[in-house]
Amino acid sequence: MSGTVKKGYARPLDLKHGRVDLSHGGGGRAMVQLITELFANHLGNEYLAQGNDGTVLPIGTSHGPGRLVVSTDSHVVSPLFFPGGDIGCLSVHGTVNDVAVMGATPLYLTAGFILEEGFPLADLARIVTSMARAAADAGVKLVAGDTKVVEQGKGDGVFITTTGVGFLPEGVCLGGDQARPGDAVLVSGHIGDHGVAIMGRRENLSFDAPIQSDTAALNGLTAAMLASGARLRLMRDPTRGGLAATLNEIAHQSGVGIHLDEAAIPVRPEVEAACELLGLDPLNIANEGKLIAVCAAEDADALLGAMRAHPQGRDATRIGRVTDDPNRFVQMTTRLGGRRMVDWLAGEQLPRIC
Amino acid sequence: MKYVDEFRDGEIAKNIAAHIAAEADPARRYAFMEFCGGHTHAISRYGVPDLLPANVRMVHGPGCPVCVLPIGRIDQVIRLATQRNVIVCTYADTLRVPASDNLSLMRAKARGGDIRMVYSVADALKVARDNPGREVMFFAIGFETTTPPTAVAILQARAEGLKNFSALCCHVLTPPAMRHLLDAPPIPGTPAEDLAGFVGPAHVSTVIGSRPYEFVAADYGKPVVIAGFEPLDVMQAILMLIRQVNQGRAEVENEFTRAVTREGNLKAQGLVNEVLELRESFEWRGLGQVPFSALRIRDAYGEFDAERRFDMPYQAVADNKACECGAILRGEKRPVDCKIFGTVCTPENPVGSCMVSSEGACAAHYTYGRYRDEVAA
Amino acid sequence: MCLAIPARVVEIADNDQAVVDLGGVKKDVSLALVEDVRVGDYVIVHVGYALTRLDPEEAHKTLALMAEAGLNPEAA
């Protein structure tokens, strides 16, 4: 026994084999250690380093005249790790995108973690590094955070809530109530990937060409779209409820109808096949790296050009138009040449046998 | 997807539509019943009515196994889950059907009932193997397509010596339901009044064959054309029905020759016969008691029969008074004829089962077709 | 009334199990209800069970019938 342990030595977190326990949420030294060695280590920056109860941000002084955009999202996805992503990057992308589709530049994020006692620290480390990478890629900084621990059995491993803050310059006025009859409706790429990546895992489907979640930050794409000069009315990301829910929301908010062309809606063949097997409709399935845009019809080509020039918009295409409809229906010309409504679902989409 | 996409081709649809328009006699009105809920769904989902001339109309039938489940059966399952602590395994379709006391299986689950959605009865067997200390009950619904898997599962449970697995057998039969409908006197002014023929179910027929429908032509003089599941199949079947009507024929024809033969799947039929037998009578939502229209588990496999195992007698419960599911299932009314359609009764708050199942006439119309009501209004 | 879809058999295992492929997606199914199924056959799958084999020749005949431009001689 050498007895030469350095003064002030503190045993580091066992990120390989350790697990979250109740002390990590207790506000004491164990929690500080978790924050310092894991969260701040990967997500730290000059704002987080302020180390106070509230973080002071320079918004309003460094960006010129404009407004703030704020958005918040909670993430409870299961499984936590799925093909193409995990709850960490998903929580960054989701909130970044909600800010970006308003036409704002996302700047700052906060993150609240609810951890379940017993959750492996190795998995938490994976999630946190994934968040850090996603935030860096999107150019946003994590400026405040919180951690709580609940007893085993009372949480699904980890829940994450992120809030995003962005800067919206004067003159940009996008909104769900801005769509006008005659406008073009565009989508930035293939729909249904995220939901099928998750459900396929759950239902034990295996894929030749594996379907990955499309989770991605879209602020680069939205910036390119705003710079294109097209008269953009709104952008929105079709997450829960899929394309159908989002288009119905827009139709209701704007007091218009929407008419889609089924043959124009991009769906990967494997996504379509998985939906057939499970009895699901791709229009109702969540997307985490796509957006819908509505613009003046004459500007659609220019907007599509700008989108396709960007990696997140290569497969962007026009899928329909806004119509004058007091009933605010979303309708579609089917591949067969008939017509049907695209309604939003009452609840969660469930696979059917009938 | 091979053998799927080809049967959804828009160009061929136009071709068949042109034939239908050319051959439908403008002096006649043609009303055909698509018995099967899967066809109801396909017709709505692809907008087939837009490709038919105004004098060719489709009438919805009762071939939706969820729609014809009486409230009392859902109550039985809810009681098992909430009062007897049984793990209930069910196909997703049943979860939202409204039952007594403002409950459904989904709501019972929210109140602590261990109710699990399965894609296949094989998953239910797995739950039983994984939970040897608990009773596991499979809610066996469906027409003849879904029945053989249940029989296979029970045989497998017997072979494995599973002691905690049972099924609540609510499997129903297509031909007796068709006969029941045909026996009812047609009510003037209803969609089913001038019913000229049937589009026969696709996948039921792969199991039972085309022979069991021959009585419809022989005894009632109405043509039946068995149609595949895709929209082109349905349209081709409609064309074949129009031809039969025009030529004064009443035969059973098969459009779905790639999967249906006259005799059907004898192996599947044999397995079903081994495990299940006819019930003398069974209550159908909307049709009331229908003789020899459903199956129960034979005595030889009695230990797998949930009704015996849990001593759960069936109690009939009346439908909501405003609910017109019954009339709609019989083809006497259309969804829009129901006073609460789309107002009190919606997919978010279904009052009757026709609004729950994606194949129910009301759900199909609400979800896919209600824009037509606005146009007509 | 029942959601069923044709898929190609790509692998046959013991115990009446098989793997089918639909558009690049693979799934395990049971062959307990069918006989003489070989790799390469198409089967109609419902709730995890193959119900019957699909006859490719009949499929082609049906499609040809649907696509034909000629008229039925009995039609007016």
Coordinates of all heavy atoms in Angstrom, one line a residue, chain A residues 109-172:
Chain A
L109 N -30.0 26.6 -26.5 CA -30.9 25.5 -26.1 C -30.7 25.4 -24.6 O -29.7 25.6 -24.0 CB -30.4 24.2 -26.7 CG -30.8 23.8 -28.1 CD1 -30.4 22.3 -28.3 CD2 -32.3 23.8 -28.3
T110 N -31.8 24.9 -24.0 CA -31.7 24.4 -22.6 C -32.1 23.0 -22.6 O -32.8 22.5 -23.5 CB -32.6 25.2 -21.6 OG1 -34.0 24.8 -21.9 CG2 -32.5 26.7 -21.8
A111 N -31.7 22.2 -21.6 CA -32.1 20.8 -21.6 C -32.4 20.3 -20.2 O -31.6 20.6 -19.3 CB -30.9 19.9 -22.2
G112 N -33.5 19.7 -20.0 CA -33.9 19.2 -18.7 C -33.9 17.7 -18.8 O -34.5 17.1 -19.8
F113 N -33.2 17.0 -17.9 CA -33.2 15.5 -18.0 C -33.9 14.9 -16.8 O -33.7 15.3 -15.7 CB -31.7 15.0 -17.9 CG -30.9 15.4 -19.1 CD1 -30.3 16.7 -19.1 CD2 -30.7 14.5 -20.1 CE1 -29.5 17.1 -20.2 CE2 -29.9 14.9 -21.2 CZ -29.3 16.2 -21.2
I114 N -34.8 13.9 -17.1 CA -35.3 13.1 -16.0 C -34.8 11.7 -16.2 O -35.0 11.1 -17.2 CB -36.9 13.2 -16.0 CG1 -37.4 14.6 -15.8 CG2 -37.4 12.2 -15.0 CD1 -38.9 14.8 -15.8
L115 N -33.9 11.3 -15.2 CA -33.2 10.1 -15.3 C -33.9 9.1 -14.4 O -34.3 9.4 -13.3 CB -31.8 10.2 -14.9 CG -31.0 11.3 -15.7 CD1 -29.7 11.6 -15.0 CD2 -30.8 10.9 -17.1
E116 N -33.9 7.8 -14.9 CA -34.4 6.8 -14.0 C -33.3 6.1 -13.3 O -32.2 5.9 -13.8 CB -35.1 5.7 -14.9 CG -35.9 4.7 -14.1 CD -36.5 3.6 -15.0 OE1 -36.4 3.7 -16.3 OE2 -37.1 2.7 -14.5
E117 N -33.5 5.9 -12.0 CA -32.5 5.2 -11.1 C -32.2 3.9 -11.8 O -33.0 3.2 -12.2 CB -33.2 5.0 -9.8 CG -32.3 4.3 -8.8 CD -33.1 3.9 -7.5 OE1 -34.4 3.9 -7.6 OE2 -32.5 3.6 -6.5
G118 N -30.9 3.7 -11.9 CA -30.4 2.4 -12.5 C -30.0 2.5 -14.0 O -29.5 1.6 -14.6
F119 N -30.3 3.7 -14.6 CA -30.0 3.9 -16.0 C -28.4 3.9 -16.1 O -27.7 4.5 -15.4 CB -30.5 5.2 -16.5 CG -30.4 5.4 -17.9 CD1 -31.1 4.6 -18.8 CD2 -29.7 6.5 -18.5 CE1 -31.0 4.7 -20.2 CE2 -29.6 6.6 -19.8 CZ -30.2 5.8 -20.7
P120 N -27.9 3.1 -17.1 CA -26.5 3.0 -17.2 C -25.8 4.3 -17.6 O -26.2 4.9 -18.6 CB -26.3 1.9 -18.3 CG -27.6 1.2 -18.4 CD -28.6 2.2 -18.0
L121 N -24.8 4.7 -16.9 CA -24.1 5.9 -17.3 C -23.4 5.8 -18.6 O -23.3 6.8 -19.3 CB -23.0 6.2 -16.2 CG -23.5 6.7 -14.8 CD1 -22.3 6.9 -13.9 CD2 -24.3 8.0 -15.0
A122 N -23.1 4.7 -19.1 CA -22.5 4.5 -20.4 C -23.5 5.0 -21.5 O -23.2 5.6 -22.4 CB -22.0 3.1 -20.6
D123 N -24.7 4.6 -21.3 CA -25.8 5.0 -22.2 C -26.0 6.5 -22.1 O -26.2 7.2 -23.1 CB -27.1 4.3 -21.9 CG -27.0 2.8 -22.4 OD1 -26.1 2.5 -23.1 OD2 -27.9 2.0 -21.9
L124 N -26.0 7.0 -20.9 CA -26.2 8.5 -20.7 C -25.0 9.2 -21.4 O -25.3 10.2 -22.1 CB -26.2 8.8 -19.2 CG -26.6 10.2 -18.9 CD1 -27.9 10.6 -19.5 CD2 -26.6 10.4 -17.4
A125 N -23.8 8.7 -21.3 CA -22.7 9.3 -22.0 C -22.9 9.3 -23.5 O -22.6 10.3 -24.2 CB -21.4 8.6 -21.6
R126 N -23.4 8.2 -24.0 CA -23.6 8.2 -25.5 C -24.6 9.2 -25.9 O -24.5 9.9 -26.9 CB -24.3 6.8 -25.8 CG -23.3 5.7 -26.2 CD -24.0 4.4 -26.4 NE -24.6 4.3 -27.7 CZ -25.4 3.3 -28.1 NH1 -25.7 2.3 -27.2 NH2 -26.0 3.3 -29.3
I127 N -25.7 9.4 -25.0 CA -26.7 10.3 -25.4 C -26.2 11.7 -25.3 O -26.4 12.6 -26.2 CB -27.9 10.2 -24.4 CG1 -28.7 8.8 -24.7 CG2 -28.9 11.3 -24.5 CD1 -29.7 8.4 -23.7
V128 N -25.4 12.0 -24.3 CA -24.9 13.4 -24.1 C -23.9 13.7 -25.2 O -23.9 14.8 -25.8 CB -24.2 13.5 -22.7 CG1 -23.5 14.8 -22.6 CG2 -25.3 13.5 -21.7
T129 N -23.0 12.8 -25.6 CA -22.1 13.1 -26.7 C -22.9 13.3 -28.0 O -22.5 14.1 -28.8 CB -21.0 12.0 -26.9 OG1 -21.6 10.8 -26.8 CG2 -20.0 12.1 -25.8
S130 N -23.9 12.5 -28.2 CA -24.7 12.7 -29.4 C -25.4 14.1 -29.4 O -25.4 14.8 -30.4 CB -25.8 11.6 -29.4 OG -26.7 11.8 -30.4
M131 N -25.9 14.5 -28.2 CA -26.4 15.9 -28.2 C -25.4 16.9 -28.5 O -25.7 17.9 -29.2 CB -27.0 16.1 -26.7 CG -28.2 15.5 -26.4 SD -28.8 15.8 -24.8 CE -29.6 17.4 -25.0
A132 N -24.2 16.7 -27.9 CA -23.2 17.7 -28.1 C -22.8 17.8 -29.6 O -22.7 18.9 -30.2 CB -21.9 17.3 -27.4
R133 N -22.7 16.7 -30.3 CA -22.4 16.7 -31.7 C -23.6 17.4 -32.5 O -23.3 18.2 -33.4 CB -22.3 15.3 -32.2 CG -21.4 15.1 -33.4 CD -21.0 13.7 -33.7 NE -21.9 12.7 -33.2 CZ -21.6 11.7 -32.3 NH1 -20.4 11.7 -31.8 NH2 -22.5 10.9 -31.9
A134 N -24.8 17.0 -32.2 CA -25.9 17.6 -32.9 C -26.0 19.1 -32.7 O -26.2 19.9 -33.6 CB -27.2 17.0 -32.4
A135 N -25.7 19.6 -31.4 CA -25.7 21.0 -31.2 C -24.6 21.7 -31.9 O -24.8 22.8 -32.5 CB -25.6 21.3 -29.7
A136 N -23.4 21.2 -31.9 CA -22.3 21.8 -32.6 C -22.6 21.9 -34.1 O -22.4 22.9 -34.7 CB -21.0 21.0 -32.3
D137 N -23.1 20.8 -34.7 CA -23.4 20.8 -36.1 C -24.5 21.8 -36.4 O -24.5 22.4 -37.5 CB -24.0 19.4 -36.6 CG -22.8 18.4 -36.6 OD1 -21.6 18.8 -36.5 OD2 -23.2 17.2 -36.7
A138 N -25.4 22.0 -35.5 CA -26.5 23.0 -35.8 C -26.1 24.4 -35.4 O -26.8 25.4 -35.7 CB -27.7 22.6 -35.0
G139 N -24.9 24.5 -34.8 CA -24.4 25.9 -34.4 C -25.2 26.5 -33.2 O -25.3 27.7 -33.1
V140 N -25.7 25.6 -32.3 CA -26.4 26.1 -31.2 C -25.6 25.8 -29.9 O -24.9 24.8 -29.9 CB -27.9 25.6 -31.0 CG1 -28.7 26.1 -32.2 CG2 -27.9 24.1 -30.9
K141 N -25.8 26.6 -28.9 CA -25.1 26.3 -27.6 C -26.1 26.0 -26.5 O -27.2 26.6 -26.4 CB -24.3 27.5 -27.2 CG -23.2 27.8 -28.1 CD -22.2 28.9 -27.7 CE -21.0 28.9 -28.6 NZ -20.3 30.1 -28.6
L142 N -25.7 25.0 -25.7 CA -26.6 24.7 -24.5 C -26.2 25.6 -23.4 O -25.1 25.7 -23.0 CB -26.3 23.2 -24.1 CG -27.3 22.8 -23.1 CD1 -28.4 22.0 -23.8 CD2 -26.8 21.9 -22.0
V143 N -27.2 26.4 -23.0 CA -26.9 27.5 -22.0 C -27.5 27.2 -20.6 O -27.2 28.0 -19.7 CB -27.4 28.8 -22.5 CG1 -26.6 29.1 -23.8 CG2 -28.8 28.9 -22.7
A144 N -28.3 26.3 -20.5 CA -28.9 26.0 -19.1 C -29.4 24.6 -19.1 O -29.8 24.0 -20.2 CB -30.0 27.0 -18.8
G145 N -29.4 24.0 -18.0 CA -29.8 22.6 -17.9 C -30.3 22.2 -16.5 O -30.1 23.0 -15.6
D146 N -30.9 21.1 -16.4 CA -31.4 20.6 -15.1 C -31.4 19.1 -15.1 O -31.7 18.5 -16.2 CB -32.8 21.1 -14.8 CG -33.3 20.7 -13.5 OD1 -32.7 21.1 -12.5 OD2 -34.3 19.9 -13.4
T147 N -31.2 18.5 -14.0 CA -31.2 17.0 -13.9 C -32.1 16.6 -12.7 O -31.9 17.1 -11.6 CB -29.8 16.4 -13.7 OG1 -28.9 17.0 -14.6 CG2 -29.8 14.9 -13.8
K148 N -32.9 15.6 -12.9 CA -33.6 15.0 -11.8 C -33.6 13.5 -11.9 O -33.4 13.0 -13.0 CB -35.1 15.4 -11.8 CG -35.4 16.9 -11.6 CD -35.2 17.3 -10.1 CE -35.5 18.7 -9.8 NZ -34.8 19.7 -10.5
V149 N -33.6 12.8 -10.8 CA -33.6 11.4 -10.9 C -34.9 10.8 -10.2 O -35.3 11.3 -9.1 CB -32.4 10.8 -10.1 CG1 -32.4 9.3 -10.2 CG2 -31.1 11.3 -10.8
V150 N -35.5 9.9 -10.9 CA -36.8 9.3 -10.3 C -36.4 7.8 -10.0 O -35.6 7.2 -10.6 CB -38.0 9.4 -11.2 CG1 -38.4 10.8 -11.4 CG2 -37.7 8.8 -12.6
E151 N -37.3 7.3 -9.1 CA -37.0 5.9 -8.7 C -37.2 4.9 -9.8 O -37.9 5.1 -10.7 CB -38.0 5.5 -7.6 CG -37.6 6.0 -6.2 CD -38.8 6.0 -5.2 OE1 -39.8 5.4 -5.6 OE2 -38.6 6.5 -4.1
Q152 N -36.5 3.8 -9.7 CA -36.6 2.8 -10.7 C -38.0 2.4 -10.9 O -38.8 2.2 -10.0 CB -35.8 1.5 -10.2 CG -35.5 0.6 -11.3 CD -34.2 -0.2 -11.0 OE1 -34.3 -1.1 -10.2 NE2 -33.1 0.2 -11.6
G153 N -38.4 2.3 -12.2 CA -39.8 1.9 -12.5 C -40.7 3.1 -12.8 O -41.8 3.0 -13.3
K154 N -40.2 4.3 -12.4 CA -41.0 5.5 -12.6 C -40.6 6.3 -13.8 O -41.0 7.4 -14.0 CB -40.9 6.4 -11.4 CG -41.3 5.7 -10.1 CD -42.7 6.0 -9.6 CE -43.0 5.0 -8.5 NZ -43.4 5.5 -7.3
G155 N -39.7 5.8 -14.6 CA -39.3 6.6 -15.8 C -38.8 5.6 -16.9 O -38.5 4.5 -16.5
D156 N -38.7 6.0 -18.1 CA -38.4 5.0 -19.2 C -36.9 5.1 -19.5 O -36.6 5.2 -20.7 CB -39.2 5.4 -20.4 CG -39.8 4.2 -21.1 OD1 -39.4 3.1 -20.7 OD2 -40.6 4.4 -22.0
G157 N -36.0 5.2 -18.5 CA -34.6 5.3 -18.8 C -34.3 6.8 -18.7 O -33.7 7.3 -17.7
V158 N -34.7 7.6 -19.7 CA -34.4 9.0 -19.7 C -35.5 9.7 -20.5 O -35.9 9.3 -21.6 CB -33.0 9.3 -20.2 CG1 -32.8 8.8 -21.5 CG2 -32.8 10.8 -20.2
F159 N -36.0 10.8 -19.9 CA -36.8 11.8 -20.7 C -36.0 13.1 -20.8 O -35.4 13.5 -19.9 CB -38.1 12.1 -19.9 CG -39.0 10.9 -19.7 CD1 -39.6 10.7 -18.5 CD2 -39.2 10.0 -20.7 CE1 -40.5 9.6 -18.2 CE2 -40.1 8.9 -20.5 CZ -40.7 8.7 -19.2
I160 N -36.1 13.7 -21.9 CA -35.4 15.0 -22.1 C -36.3 16.1 -22.6 O -37.1 15.8 -23.6 CB -34.3 14.8 -23.2 CG1 -33.3 13.7 -22.8 CG2 -33.5 16.1 -23.3 CD1 -32.2 13.4 -23.8
T161 N -36.3 17.2 -22.0 CA -37.0 18.4 -22.5 C -36.1 19.4 -22.9 O -35.2 19.8 -22.2 CB -37.9 18.9 -21.4 OG1 -38.8 17.9 -21.0 CG2 -38.7 20.1 -21.9
T162 N -36.2 19.9 -24.2 CA -35.3 21.0 -24.6 C -36.2 22.2 -25.0 O -37.3 22.1 -25.5 CB -34.5 20.5 -25.9 OG1 -35.4 20.0 -26.8 CG2 -33.4 19.6 -25.5
T163 N -35.6 23.3 -24.7 CA -36.2 24.6 -25.1 C -35.2 25.3 -25.9 O -34.0 25.3 -25.6 CB -36.6 25.5 -23.8 OG1 -37.5 24.7 -23.1 CG2 -37.2 26.8 -24.2
G164 N -35.7 25.9 -27.0 CA -34.8 26.6 -27.9 C -35.1 28.1 -28.0 O -36.3 28.4 -27.9
V165 N -34.1 28.9 -28.2 CA -34.3 30.3 -28.4 C -33.6 30.7 -29.7 O -32.5 30.3 -29.9 CB -33.7 31.1 -27.2 CG1 -33.7 32.6 -27.5 CG2 -34.4 30.8 -25.9
G166 N -34.3 31.5 -30.5 CA -33.7 31.9 -31.7 C -34.0 33.4 -32.0 O -34.9 34.0 -31.4
F167 N -33.3 33.9 -33.0 CA -33.5 35.3 -33.4 C -34.2 35.4 -34.7 O -33.8 34.8 -35.7 CB -32.1 36.0 -33.4 CG -32.2 37.4 -33.9 CD1 -32.6 38.4 -33.1 CD2 -31.8 37.7 -35.2 CE1 -32.7 39.7 -33.5 CE2 -31.9 39.0 -35.7 CZ -32.4 40.0 -34.9
L168 N -35.3 36.2 -34.7 CA -36.1 36.4 -35.9 C -35.9 37.8 -36.4 O -36.4 38.7 -35.7 CB -37.5 36.1 -35.6 CG -38.5 36.1 -36.7 CD1 -38.3 35.0 -37.7 CD2 -39.9 36.0 -36.2
P169 N -35.3 38.0 -37.5 CA -35.0 39.4 -38.0 C -36.4 40.0 -38.4 O -37.4 39.4 -38.7 CB -34.1 39.2 -39.2 CG -34.2 37.8 -39.6 CD -34.7 37.0 -38.5
E170 N -36.4 41.4 -38.3 CA -37.6 42.1 -38.8 C -37.9 41.8 -40.2 O -37.0 41.5 -41.0 CB -37.3 43.6 -38.7 CG -37.3 44.2 -37.3 CD -38.6 43.9 -36.5 OE1 -39.6 43.6 -37.1 OE2 -38.5 44.0 -35.3
G171 N -39.2 41.8 -40.5 CA -39.6 41.5 -41.9 C -39.9 40.1 -42.2 O -40.4 39.8 -43.3
V172 N -39.5 39.2 -41.4 CA -39.8 37.8 -41.6 C -41.1 37.4 -40.9 O -41.1 37.6 -39.7 CB -38.7 36.8 -41.2 CG1 -39.0 35.4 -41.5 CG2 -37.4 37.2 -41.9

